[in-house]
Amino acid sequence: MPRFKNVISFRIEPAWAPDFDAAQQQLEKERFVPCGATQESSAGWVEPRGQAEGPLLESVGGQWLLEYMVESKTLPASVVRRKLDERCAQIEQQTGRQPGKKEKKQLKEDITQELLPMAFTRHARIAVWIDPTARRLTLDTSNQARADGVVTALVKALDGFGVSAFHTQVEPGSAMAGWLATQEPPAGFSIDRDCELKATDDSKAVVRYAKHPLDIEEVREHIAQGKRPTRLALTWEDRVSFELTEGMQLRKLQFLEGVFDGAGSDAQAKDEGFDTDAAIVTGELGQLLPALLEALGGEMEPGMAAAVPASPAAPQAESQTAAPAAKAATPTAATVAAADDDGPPF
């Protein structure tokens, strides 16, 4: 069970009725199949425990666990370009003319198909956690394109499944500015030593602090001048550290000392280690995510406006209209996330 270095989370729509056995059967139709010789990419569901031909859906303490596999082939652009130049030179030598734009495009596609069987293969595995009680979908990735692909795959596989973005009553950027200006983070959270501030005017000036105290006048002055925090390092209950971003993302997620003490220590009980890790990860994040939403004023009801403080020190705030959350097969959402390889999408 991956320990979720990265997290993107969505609210599951109320129309979906969880049915474990039905979901297991529906996922089987979308089991992962490796790329064919000339296929550029392939994606599908794999066994979360890593057991060949095992179940695609596991339940630990009532929490559903899945894993999505993406396989892609990579061709070095320089190799394709060199082959294309050689092919164009041959045509010019044989016919006395240079290939046009349309012909070059077709030649490039032909060369790509020829080289794909020899291409490098990359794999990305995305752990997926469905909390059917709290109605929350959580993904172990920071890549929004990958997250959207997983959501689309779930919508395709599970009858009636849909998700919506989390929208909070206070915008994360405004909340972080207030916490930095007052040095008063919400209960259970503490401010760490990393931060990024960005100007909202045309200058787009950026100031970054790394491993640096943030309770200094210089930080407050930047905020007073109109710079907004785009990310801020926080720790929750001395158990989980992360960076919160203006998009309501969690980055650089780390479970701190003591959280996993004794977990997975029995090498002869791989299944028990999976279950233990799953229980700890879902237990910790199952408390952190609601606490974070509460720190941002709670979730908005449809039609409500997100609070935008007039100044960081004055949370009484003006407001601006925010669109209500809507069901989406491929959502573009404010998300709860953390950093992974930020690799290319599918």
Side-chain angles (χ1 to χ4, degrees):
M1 167 68 185
R3 296 187 178 182
F4 276 77
K5 296 177 181 179
N6 318 292
V7 176
I8 295 180
S9 194
F10 301 94
R11 172 66 64 209
I12 297 175
E13 290 292 307
W16 180 64
D19 184 328
F20 186 86
D21 292 335
Q24 183 75 267
Q25 295 176 6
Q26 292 161 4
L27 289 166
E28 280 291 340
K29 300 174 185 177
E30 305 297 333
R31 187 181 281 269
F32 173 77
V33 177
C35 289
T38 59
Q39 188 178 358
E40 291 190 50
S41 65
S42 179
W45 301 100
V46 294
E47 306 84 353
R49 291 182 188 269
Q51 299 171 343
E53 302 303 321
L56 297 178
L57 180 62
E58 299 283 350
S59 179
V60 177
Q63 305 300 314
W64 296 11
L65 304 168
L66 311 85
E67 192 156 300
Y68 197 67
M69 169 79 86
V70 180
E71 181 181 77
S72 57
K73 292 185 176 180
T74 303
L75 287 171
S78 59
V79 173
V80 176
R81 186 167 53 251
R82 186 178 71 250
K83 290 287 185 182
L84 178 60
D85 290 342
E86 291 173 358
R87 198 73 56 87
C88 290
Q90 289 175 357
I91 292 173
E92 185 175 2
Q93 185 178 16
Q94 293 170 359
T95 65
R97 63 174 182 81
Q98 293 184 348
K101 186 176 181 180
K102 186 176 180 179
E103 188 176 359
K104 282 186 177 180
K105 181 180 179 182
Q106 184 61 52
L107 287 170
K108 186 176 181 180
E109 291 176 358
D110 293 342
I111 291 167
T112 299
Q113 289 297 307
E114 293 169 9
L115 295 177
L116 274 176
M118 299 177 286
F120 296 106
T121 301
R122 296 182 59 187
H123 293 90
R125 301 173 75 97
I126 301 104
V128 179
W129 163 34
I130 293 176
D131 187 333
T133 301
R135 304 194 69 83
R136 185 172 54 239
L137 168 68
T138 304
L139 313 177
D140 184 8
T141 182
S142 68
N143 187 307
Q144 187 62 51
R146 286 182 181 170
D148 290 347
V150 175
V151 170
T152 300
L154 282 169
V155 170
K156 179 181 179 182
L158 304 182
D159 292 342
F161 190 83
V163 300
S164 58
F166 281 110
H167 294 284
T168 54
Q169 296 194 44
V170 179
E171 292 181 347
S174 298
M176 290 188 290
W179 302 340
L180 282 170
T182 63
Q183 285 298 304
E184 294 180 3
F189 294 85
S190 58
I191 296 174
D192 293 337
R193 296 165 59 89
D194 293 90
C195 176
E196 180 180 271
L197 304 167
K198 184 176 293 186
T200 56
D201 58 21
D202 292 339
S203 72
K204 304 297 182 184
V206 177
V207 178
R208 296 185 180 93
Y209 293 90
K211 302 182 191 295
H212 194 286
L214 301 178
D215 56 345
I216 56 176
E217 185 59 34
E218 181 180 286
V219 171
R220 288 188 285 270
E221 183 63 25
H222 282 305
I223 293 172
Q225 291 173 357
K227 292 187 179 68
R228 286 173 58 91
T230 56
R231 57 181 178 85
L232 174 64
L234 299 166
T235 292
W236 172 73
E237 298 289 1
D238 295 323
R239 299 183 66 80
V240 184
S241 67
F242 60 93
E243 283 187 353
L244 174 64
T245 76
E246 61 182 345
M248 209 177 113
Q249 301 176 349
L250 304 182
R251 300 182 63 85
K252 300 182 181 179
L253 188 75
Q254 291 186 347
F255 296 94
L256 301 182
E257 186 177 356
V259 173
F260 279 96
D261 282 356
S265 57
D266 187 354
Q268 296 180 342
K270 184 177 180 181
D271 281 352
E272 290 181 14
F274 177 94
D275 291 347
T276 301
D277 280 7
I280 292 173
V281 168
T282 58
E284 295 293 329
L285 295 181
Q287 297 178 72
L288 168 58
L289 296 177
L292 179 60
L293 291 172
E294 183 64 25
L296 296 172
E299 291 185 69
M300 286 196 304
E301 295 295 330
M304 290 182 63
V308 184
S311 68
Q316 295 91 334
E318 299 172 359
S319 66
Q320 74 177 24
T321 302
K327 179 175 179 179
T330 308
T332 53
T335 57
V336 182
D340 73 342
D341 58 0
D342 276 324
F346 303 111

